[in-house]
């Protein structure tokens, strides 16, 4: 198979895809948000249990392609025990890596670094970002005091594919 | 054993310059013609010839370029009229695409005639373009959209259709051929039943007109819509056909230059049909290029093209079924469909499939194919679709099958 | 005495293959660019390159061709946004032509917001495309169209405009530049006054965007419409610009593929702007070609182009006035117009003029120029119009003048 | 000047244009019809005084280009004293000549033959036909018992320019 392909479907990515973490719904979550990728119709639900600004539990449900499922699984793994601030910053680093603005070395993204190869397949970048955009909307909603909201994946950099740009410019941060 | 194709595909392929390009280091294998087709050199030549010799605005110029541009543009109207079985040229309206054609009918024919409680029957296998305009027309007028369901075989449930038909039925909106299932619907029969209750029949011909002979004198459609880009023509050209009397009865749609007769500051009278519906400068070059596409298709023969695609589709279904792990949608029966194979791999998401195939140079489509209600009916979010045209042959199918095997291996499923 | 042009016209002409053709045995002299412009080779190359390398449907395909086509198509949206003074790309909607853009606003913004007694102010110098949509919107909603008159100098009567403005005024529809008089209207000033009474300002930029720098951040228009074919681009591409918030507030217009988000049989939700307004497969190749046209114009410089045309127009007016027997319309003042000279020969009907000029290879336009109310105001049925672009120079004007002398001789009037 | 041009603007055509016949409105007409060419906005009014099926008087008013004015002037001249049947047949012969279906020799069209050269300028053919289409509609209206009606020029052969094709196929005979 092609090298490009191998760099996208890295061992660790396929591993997350086949045995995704965070698939077990939390007994209790403080905020949950559903993200939707209108290009493919895939959906992901990110739920968080939060105490004193610290993420104590994460679920990452829904169906999607290998990239979105793997990304959601990594999300569930990496966020465990992080503060909301840290979660935001990881999301931002991940977005920047996916858009080639930083290299994996410049951030501490763990397994997420394995998704770097998706860059070679621009239309799939939004698959990788879907769980993270959904997460950010969840955090934003949580901080507003809300409990549930819908979202779409976004990709202002890539610009221009339907349904991938948010209305509010604030949301453009991921 | 294999019937030989009525088309000389090897020769045809040489007419399509894009087919010699490479994708990610592999020769391009284009299996997404149901989305849009590639263009033969003659179409590109017609575009270039227009722009380098006759480019001018149409209809109103006295100068030579204007005369040539008008003759070329209006000449294509004659070609389209002939292509549709020899209909009256005044029934042929040029639009941007099938979608605009369908909206034109929904705005200018349907909206003024619909009232609360009226019913619009729309099939469950419609492309969004023949569904959203009716949802919106219903929303605005208080009419109701009712669904003609799809059977497990991927056909329209005609029993339910007959039951739904009644004096409330004002419009029946149905596709001639599904872009997902390949199903060819019995439009003539359905139109007859619809006309018996006085309903107006709008047919989405985007897939059918491109792939089989269509005779609008006998089909029974009151309005018929399709796109040039799906039949070797340029992007930005669609056709709405309706009988001239129907067009004359219809309200105007877009207002502006070309479509008027006399304009005062507070009132306007409209031009004759079909120009009444062609407001502003049309896509002149696109229409001229479409003329060359029609000539090309006529030279191939629409019946031969259809026969070729049907053979190829049967072959593809057989080969895909051999793989195992794939679900194939749509009727197998050649009378009911062709040109399209839509499938679902239980182990590999359609978009992963599509990405992996792309690294083999194979372009298929993955997604809901703008037919979300049908996806729901099939119980999937998205599917993979391979679609064929005059430039595809069995070698392409074999290459697709090989690539699919690789995909499954890649995801660790030995098939 | 003559200022030298900021453009190297001789070099520019070589970029336009059609300009080397002959008409009735004479070299083509094209003076009808206000109707549609000719296309430089780079635009044709962009079209060909698209069709021979990247042709695919946009937005939904995972395969390489689809990715390339989408990047090319959406890349042009960025170019248009930059061309218009650096506006938000989400405010740029691709349509078929300026006419469709104006109708889109009239259907999706105006109709749902107009009520009996509301007023739409439309100028007397409008092209039918910025008049008929308002007449129709008024007819359907019970609103009233009121006229902003044209003065004897060919300018809008701003005193009357101020008087007409009031709390009943819901919409002001005005052209940025007249296609007959060449008049450039003080849109910024007019928009300010309109906004003071809460009216929405729709500007027809079909002539202005093609011929002068336009900055939509400062112009004050709420919606701005123009066509690619009038600015070196392919036929079949128009632009509607509006601020993203305005587009978001607007109803959807055409329904179908691309513009939706989620579709059920009885309801649909819509895509983000601008895609909400781009239903069905767009004119992808046309948009890509338009991108090359914008690049070409940007390289020339819109300010230089405008300066060139203004000089040429003044020269042409002087030369035409020398002929005698001609009435010239429109303001002479360079601040108020340029690029267009419309005239009337008291002895030779405009269509006879146009036919005779055509035998000299000279293409001008004769007729009402889709501005019948303005013709009535000028007291004529039809006029002759010569219009200029980057590929015209003083030699062209001289050749026109010579040919006009011949016309008058032909009809036995020694001039 | 060009030969083509000279064959269109023949001496006799320019003569009719400069001194058109039938410009004096009839004191009394039995039918009048107004024709309109939406391409240019020109209008022509044909009025007939008819007795026992014979045309005793014609007026041909309105404004237009040299070709339409000359054609209207020739119409006024040639119809004098003709029966309605003969008028129809001249109109038909003229239409056929203008579409190149017959040569001037094959019909007896008098000055009208001079308009043959207009064929080389296809968009101007409808100028030549405008008065005649207007006439035919007038005769048709007269026979229905009507007294006034509007019309457009037509040109089904040339096909396709706005406003030049009639709704009723019957009218396609000219
Ligand atoms: C001022 C003006 N507005 C609108 C239009 C309509 O443009 P289009 O025919 O491309 O829609 C034109 C061109 O004909 C024009 O000159
Ligand atoms: C069945 C069917 N209807 C309508 C359409 C819409 O065609 P277009 O996008 O050219 O308007 C398509 C193609 O996408 C189609 O396959
Ligand atoms: S294809 Fe749907 S999220 Fe990747
Ligand atoms: S140009 Fe008007 S009739 Fe000839």
């Amino acid at each position: 198979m092609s090298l490009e392909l191998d760099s996208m479907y890295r061992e660790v990515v396929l591993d997350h895809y086949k045995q995704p973490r965070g698939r077990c719904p939390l007994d209790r979550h403080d905020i949950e948000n559903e993200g939707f990728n209108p290009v493919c119709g895939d959906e992901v639900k990110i739920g968080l249990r939060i105490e004193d600004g610290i993420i104590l539990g994460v679920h990452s449900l829904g169906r999607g392609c290998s990239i979105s499922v793997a990304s959601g699984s990594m999300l569930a793994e990496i966020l465990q025990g992080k503060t909301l601030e840290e979660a935001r910053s990881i999301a931002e680093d991940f977005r920047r890596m996916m858009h080639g603005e930083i290299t994996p070395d410049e951030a501490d993204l763990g397994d997420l670094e394995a998704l770097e190869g998706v860059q070679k397949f621009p239309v799939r970048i939004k698959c990788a970002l879907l769980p993270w955009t959904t997460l950010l909307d969840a955090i934003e909603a949580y901080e507003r005091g809300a409990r549930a909201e819908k979202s779409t994946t976004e990709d202002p950099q890539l610009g221009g594919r339907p349904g991938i740009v948010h209305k509010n410019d604030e949301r453009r941060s991921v | 054993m294999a019937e030989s194709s009525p088309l000389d595909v090897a020769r045809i392929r040489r007419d399509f310059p894009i087919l010699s390009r490479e994708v990610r280091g592999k020769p391009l294998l284009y299996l997404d013609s149901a989305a849009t087709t590639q263009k033969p050199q003659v179409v590109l030549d017609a575009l270039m010839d227009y722009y380098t010799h006759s480019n001018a605005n149409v209809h109103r110029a006295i100068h030579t370029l204007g005369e040539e541009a008008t003759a070329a543009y209006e000449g294509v109207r004659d070609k389209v009229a002939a292509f549709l079985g020899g209909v009256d040229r005044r029934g042929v309206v040029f639009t941007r695409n099938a979608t605009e054609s369908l909206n034109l009918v929904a705005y200018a024919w349907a909206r003024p005639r619909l009232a609360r409680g009226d019913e619009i029957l729309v099939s469950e296998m419609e492309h969004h373009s023949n569904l959203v305009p009716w949802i919106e027309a219903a929303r605005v007028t208080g009419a109701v959209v009712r669904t003609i369901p799809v059977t497990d075989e991927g056909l329209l449930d005609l029993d339910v259709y007959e039951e739904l038909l009644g004096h409330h039925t004002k419009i029946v909106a149905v596709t001639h051929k599904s872009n997902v299932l390949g199903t060819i619907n019995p439009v003539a029969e359905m139109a007859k039943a619809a006309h018996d209750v006085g309903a107006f029949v709008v047919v989405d011909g985007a897939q059918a007109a491109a792939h089989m002979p269509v005779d609008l004198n006998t089909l029974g459609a009151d309005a018929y819509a399709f796109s040039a880009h799906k039949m070797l023509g340029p992007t930005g050209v669609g056709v709405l056909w309706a009988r001239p009397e129907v067009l004359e009865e219809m309200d105007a749609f877009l207002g502006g230059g070309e479509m008027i007769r006399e304009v005062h500051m507070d009132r306007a009278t409209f031009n004759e049909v079909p120009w009444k519906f062609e407001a502003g400068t049309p896509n002149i070059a696109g229409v001229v290029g479409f003329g060359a596409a029609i000539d090309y298709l006529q030279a191939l023969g629409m019946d031969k093209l259809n026969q070729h695609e049907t053979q190829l589709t049967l072959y593809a279904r057989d080969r895909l079924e051999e793989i195992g792990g794939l679900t194939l949608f749509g009727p197998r029966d050649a009378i009911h469909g062709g040109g399209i194979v839509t499938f679902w791999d239980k182990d590999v998401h359609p978009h992963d499939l599509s990405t992996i195939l792309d690294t083999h140079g194979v372009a298929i489509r993955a997604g809901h194919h703008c037919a979300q209600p049908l996806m729901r009916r099939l119980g999937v979010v998205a599917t993979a679709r391979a679609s064929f045209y005059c430039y595809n042959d069995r070698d392409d199918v074999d290459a697709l099958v090989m690539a699919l095997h690789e995909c499954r291996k890649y995801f660790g499923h030995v098939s």
Side-chain angles (χ1 to χ4, degrees), chain A, chain B:
Chain A
M1 298 288 286
S2 87
L3 277 177
E4 282 169 342
L5 210 53
D6 289 337
S7 77
M8 168 149 127
Y9 293 118
R10 298 253 303 268
E11 202 62 48
V12 47
V13 173
L14 291 177
D15 180 58
H16 271 280
Y17 174 48
K18 286 179 196 160
Q19 293 173 24
R21 320 333 174 228
R23 290 312 250 188
C24 189
L26 295 170
D27 292 342
R28 200 197 102 204
H29 56 262
D30 297 288
I31 185 75
E32 184 179 66
N33 184 35
E34 194 173 330
F36 173 65
N37 182 346
V39 176
C40 55
D42 289 327
E43 287 173 342
V44 63
K45 255 190 216 157
I46 303 292
L48 302 177
R49 173 121 190 261
I50 303 169
E51 232 163 71
D52 296 336
I54 297 180
I55 297 170
L56 297 186
V58 186
H59 66 216
S60 175
L61 312 172
R63 57 176 166 181
C65 65
S66 60
I67 303 302
S68 68
V69 168
S71 178
S73 164
M74 294 171 187
L75 177 150
E77 203 170 63
I78 206 169
L79 290 191
Q80 201 67 38
K82 295 285 190 301
T83 65
L84 292 180
E85 214 32 71
E86 287 165 339
R88 264 217 197 80
S89 136
I90 294 167
E92 169 62 8
D93 283 347
F94 181 53
R95 182 196 68 77
R96 292 176 66 203
M97 181 187 82
M98 292 308 295
H99 288 136
E101 293 165 21
I102 55 171
T103 64
D105 301 344
E106 296 174 64
D108 184 15
L109 290 170
D111 284 0
L112 281 171
E113 291 173 12
L115 287 167
E116 197 206 359
V118 176
Q119 271 185 67
K120 302 237 171 67
F121 297 85
V123 282
R124 305 301 299 281
I125 294 176
K126 55 188 162 303
C127 302
L129 293 178
L130 176 60
W132 295 88
T133 329
T134 310
L135 167 78
L136 283 175
D137 287 348
I139 294 177
E140 196 184 299
Y142 177 77
E143 290 179 342
R144 282 201 321 264
R147 299 286 123 166
E149 140 165 340
K150 282 236 176 193
S151 149
T152 60
T153 179
E154 74 152 346
D155 199 349
Q157 254 27 36
L158 229 187
R161 301 216 171 58
I164 54 174
V165 178
H166 276 297
K167 279 185 195 167
N168 340 19
D169 278 336
E170 309 90 81
R171 295 212 203 147
R172 301 197 142 224
S173 53
V174 153
Chain B
M1 163 208 132
E3 282 176 87
S4 75
S5 164
L7 298 184
D8 181 349
V9 175
R11 226 204 43 193
I12 290 171
R13 289 178 61 86
R14 287 199 290 276
D15 295 333
F16 290 78
I18 202 173
L19 296 183
S20 52
R21 85 159 258 182
E22 295 202 334
V23 161
R24 296 186 187 265
K26 304 278 166 52
L28 168 64
L29 200 177
Y30 189 72
L31 296 177
D32 195 16
S33 292
T36 197
T37 61
Q38 299 305 338
K39 321 303 172 199
Q41 188 61 45
V42 287
V43 168
L44 308 186
D45 290 346
L47 282 173
M48 285 308 101
D49 188 58
Y50 170 77
Y51 279 128
T52 56
H53 286 98
S54 309
N55 176 62
N57 215 323
V58 286
H59 294 315
R60 298 201 175 272
I62 302 293
H63 52 68
T64 299
L65 296 189
E67 230 167 67
E68 290 178 9
T70 305
Y73 178 77
E74 291 297 334
V76 177
R77 205 185 302 278
D78 292 322
K79 287 185 187 185
V80 172
F83 183 81
L84 298 175
V87 296
D88 189 330
R89 70 189 306 278
R90 293 177 304 146
V92 176
V93 177
F94 289 119
T95 62
R96 176 177 38 248
N97 50 30
T99 302
E100 190 193 10
S101 302
L102 293 162
N103 278 276
L104 201 170
V105 180
Y107 270 93
W109 194 92
R111 291 193 178 198
R113 285 171 180 76
L114 287 173
R116 182 160 303 281
D118 285 344
E119 292 182 358
I120 307 170
L121 305 191
V122 181
S123 101
E124 201 176 15
M125 65 168 78
E126 293 312 305
H127 188 281
H128 295 159
S129 294
N130 200 24
L131 174 50
V132 181
W134 306 115
I135 292 175
E136 288 295 294
R139 187 179 60 76
V140 167
T141 59
V144 177
V145 172
R146 303 198 64 182
T147 306
I148 310 167
V150 171
T151 67
D152 290 342
E153 290 73 42
L155 306 181
L156 288 185
D157 190 329
L158 295 181
D159 294 338
V160 176
Y161 172 62
E162 299 277 354
E163 275 166 35
L164 286 171
L165 275 177
H167 69 283
H168 284 305
T169 314
K170 287 288 160 346
I171 292 166
V172 173
V174 68
T175 190
H176 197 173
K177 178 174 170 184
S178 161
N179 64 317
V180 175
L181 304 170
T183 311
I184 296 164
N185 290 314
V187 170
E189 190 184 326
M190 292 176 74
K192 206 176 159 303
H195 289 151
D196 285 347
V197 300
F200 187 82
V201 178
V202 181
V203 176
D204 175 357
Q207 293 298 332
H211 296 275
M212 56 194 255
V214 169
D215 183 346
L216 292 181
N217 288 310
T218 56
L219 190 67
D222 294 307
Y224 196 87
F226 59 100
S227 284
H229 72 90
K230 290 191 197 281
M231 45 198 294
L232 307 182
T235 55
V237 177
V239 170
L240 171 67
W241 170 86
R243 278 187 309 284
E245 312 83 74
V246 172
L247 292 179
E248 273 160 9
E249 272 173 30
M250 261 161 75
D251 284 15
F253 180 41
L254 305 184
E258 299 288 331
M259 58 73 73
I260 58 86
R261 188 181 151 84
E262 231 179 316
V263 181
H264 295 259
M265 286 307 292
D266 57 351
R267 66 188 188 283
T269 55
F270 301 124
N271 202 338
E272 307 277 332
V273 302
W275 301 286
K276 174 173 143 191
F277 296 104
E278 295 181 1
T281 306
N283 185 356
I284 309 167
V287 167
V288 170
F290 185 33
I294 292 178
D295 290 343
Y296 190 93
L297 287 173
Q298 297 275 41
L300 290 185
M302 291 305 289
D303 41 359
K304 284 190 193 162
L305 174 60
N306 187 34
Q307 198 186 330
H308 167 76
E309 286 182 22
T310 308
Q311 287 173 13
L312 199 55
T313 310
L314 285 174
Y315 178 71
R317 290 187 76 102
D318 286 343
R319 295 288 331 260
L320 289 175
E321 268 162 10
E322 283 166 20
I323 295 180
L326 300 188
T327 307
L328 271 64
F329 301 104
R332 186 186 159 75
D333 186 344
I335 303 165
H336 289 119
I340 287 168
V341 184
T342 294
F343 56 98
W344 192 74
D345 185 317
K346 72 181 171 47
D347 300 310
V348 189
H349 187 284
H351 284 65
D352 287 318
L353 218 53
S354 178
T355 296
I356 299 173
L357 289 178
D358 189 50
T359 64
H360 288 81
V362 181
I364 63 154
R365 177 134 308 214
H368 54 57
H369 315 292
C370 296
Q372 289 177 3
L374 180 60
M375 292 297 115
R376 270 178 223 111
R377 172 66 179 87
L378 301 176
V380 291
V381 167
T383 64
R385 178 186 73 185
S387 54
F388 309 117
Y389 213 36
C390 53
Y391 36 66
N392 298 117
D393 61 13
R394 284 167 187 240
D395 292 346
D396 296 353
V397 172
D398 294 340
L400 168 68
V401 170
M402 196 129 77
L404 285 172
H405 276 295
E406 296 275 351
C407 291
R408 296 180 57 78
K409 260 191 231 147
Y410 205 82
F411 274 80
H413 305 277
V414 185
S415 57

